Amino acid sequence: MNPHPGPFMPCGYSRSWERGWLQIPPAQNNKPPGKSPRVSDPKLQTRYNPRMTLNAKSAMNVAHVLTEALPYIQRFAGKTIVIKYGGNAMVDDDLKNSFARDIVLMKTVGINPVVVHGGGPQIGSLLERIGKESTFVHGMRVTDRETMDVVEMVLGGLVNKEIVNLINQKGGNAVGLTGKDGDMIRAHKLTFEKDAPEMNASEIVDIGHVGEVTSIDPSVVNMLVGGDFIPVIAPIGVGANGESYNINADLVAGKLAETLRAEKLMLLTNTAGLLDKEENLLTGLGADRVKELIADGTIHGGMLPKIRCALEAVQGGVSTAHIIDGRVQHAVMLEIFTDDGVGTLIRSRS
């Protein structure tokens, strides 16, 4: 029994002073937390155990972690941080639980997290189960009407509610929604051109219900944040005629961060961050340096659209963007609250 319950007391919570009081009845234990009992009382003398529960080295490590986090907590209290949740962090149980704890911790210390999630593998798995083959063009899923129904069911239902439930189980107050709720994400069809040598011209490629963000109305998100809730958003937009569009989650997170004037945009990936040609991690990059790395081919392949998303965000008013390693437990917490972090930081200025 905890004689001094606090406002936030997750399962497994303990402190050394709680371990020191060995089942003292509440009527006898009338001292505030951290205070030792009156030693003149022989009954309490036999029950109080003043042993230190951490050895000296462990105690100093814990103290260092907490004191290192303090200035970041003070700096970011009241600020909004948009996190794109995806990759391994969405499929490994330990990573899922650590992510949920990080989000609840952020909210508990006064930061406002807004989560945007993907779900490509889960969509592909369900399409395979119903016997529908997935087709990709330049890495984007061709999305006909039937596929779009599956996308909405998986992203707006199964995946979204699992994330909401995880956060709530850790003590948070999460609310799930899609970009269609409150007409939040307005979108239009994404089309692109590819060379058609036989026609001596470019061909317009239509990949169905795949969209781009036209605009974002942050009213619903602001209402939830103001009500002390944690928004969890599936990247589904709505067109001018009410049609649904599947939108890349990185792009939605970036545009939402710009619209909310967020302090940070964080993109979880399956890599350590941005690496140079010698496989060294790069961080603390200004916009000009990022452009140079794109031009010389250091940034290429699947990392290129993520970096461009981060670059657009910082140029659009977001203070910093982070490409972080979602394979590391508590990656979000480590990136925000420690000096070294676990990924690549990008800012508008060098």
Side-chain angles (χ1 to χ4, degrees):
M1 177 177 177
N2 175 19
H4 299 285
F8 176 66
M9 198 68 66
C11 179
Y13 176 90
S14 64
R15 283 185 178 170
S16 58
W17 63 266
E18 289 173 325
R19 294 171 182 157
W21 293 87
L22 303 181
Q23 297 182 344
I24 299 174
Q28 293 177 332
N29 180 11
N30 57 5
K31 287 292 180 182
K35 301 293 185 180
S36 59
R38 292 180 182 275
V39 295
S40 59
D41 187 332
K43 292 181 179 179
L44 294 184
Q45 280 183 323
T46 60
R47 295 183 179 185
Y48 180 66
N49 179 0
R51 289 183 306 166
M52 190 174 183
T53 55
L54 292 173
N55 61 44
K57 183 177 181 180
S58 296
M60 289 306 298
N61 287 338
V62 171
H64 174 74
V65 170
L66 294 175
T67 54
E68 185 177 344
L70 178 59
Y72 296 105
I73 293 172
Q74 293 172 322
R75 177 180 176 183
F76 300 132
K79 301 295 180 66
T80 296
I81 296 179
V82 176
I83 305 105
K84 186 270 178 164
Y85 178 46
N88 281 17
M90 288 187 66
V91 296
D92 179 271
D93 285 341
D94 289 338
L95 294 176
K96 288 193 290 187
N97 280 290
S98 74
F99 174 81
R101 286 182 181 274
D102 289 358
I103 297 300
V104 173
L105 174 63
M106 291 170 64
K107 192 66 175 180
T108 302
V109 299
I111 299 170
N112 297 316
V114 176
V115 179
V116 178
H117 65 83
Q122 293 88 336
I123 294 169
S125 177
L126 185 54
L127 287 171
E128 184 179 353
R129 284 166 54 189
I130 65 174
K132 188 171 182 62
E133 183 179 357
S134 294
T135 303
F136 293 86
V137 176
H138 291 285
M140 292 175 286
R141 188 188 306 274
V142 176
T143 307
D144 58 17
R145 182 169 298 179
E146 183 181 21
T147 301
M148 189 65 223
D149 289 341
V150 172
V151 168
E152 290 201 74
M153 180 170 62
V154 173
L155 292 184
L158 297 174
V159 173
N160 187 272
K161 302 317 172 192
E162 180 188 19
I163 299 168
V164 167
N165 186 54
L166 274 171
I167 293 172
N168 290 345
Q169 288 296 312
K170 304 304 180 187
N173 290 309
V175 174
L177 61 160
T178 77
K180 297 176 74 173
D181 294 307
D183 212 23
M184 178 173 56
I185 302 175
R186 301 291 295 187
H188 59 271
K189 180 188 287 287
L190 172 66
T191 58
F192 61 92
E193 297 180 356
K194 73 173 183 178
D195 292 333
E198 68 280 3
M199 300 171 57
N200 294 318
S202 296
E203 178 186 0
I204 301 297
V205 179
D206 183 351
I207 52 177
H209 291 260
V210 178
E212 289 183 294
V213 175
T214 302
S215 63
I216 294 180
D217 182 347
S219 302
V220 174
V221 174
N222 288 334
M223 179 186 68
L224 291 173
V225 170
D228 212 28
F229 292 98
I230 300 169
V232 178
I233 302 167
I236 298 170
V238 60
N241 297 315
E243 64 275 31
S244 299
Y245 287 110
N246 180 20
I247 310 174
N248 179 279
D250 291 338
L251 299 180
V252 169
K255 293 299 182 184
L256 183 61
E258 290 181 46
T259 303
L260 295 173
R261 307 299 290 181
E263 179 70 20
K264 293 177 180 291
L265 166 68
M266 306 185 75
L267 305 176
L268 272 68
T269 69
N270 288 338
T271 66
L274 176 59
L275 306 178
D276 65 16
K277 293 179 180 179
E278 286 72 43
E279 300 294 305
N280 298 310
L281 181 65
L282 300 174
T283 191
L285 303 175
D288 290 341
R289 179 59 179 149
V290 171
K291 292 175 183 177
E292 291 173 2
L293 293 170
I294 293 174
D296 70 15
T298 299
I299 302 175
H300 63 279
M303 183 58 71
L304 187 56
K306 291 184 182 296
I307 293 294
R308 282 180 171 155
C309 172
L311 188 59
E312 288 181 13
V314 297
Q315 291 177 327
V318 179
S319 296
T320 56
H322 306 249
I323 312 292
I324 65 173
D325 193 345
R327 302 168 301 178
V328 176
Q329 287 196 33
H330 300 291
V332 173
M333 180 179 66
L334 292 169
E335 182 67 13
I336 296 173
F337 297 128
T338 66
D339 294 336
D340 295 330
V342 289
T344 296
L345 180 149
I346 297 172
R347 50 180 176 255
S348 58
R349 298 180 180 178
S350 301

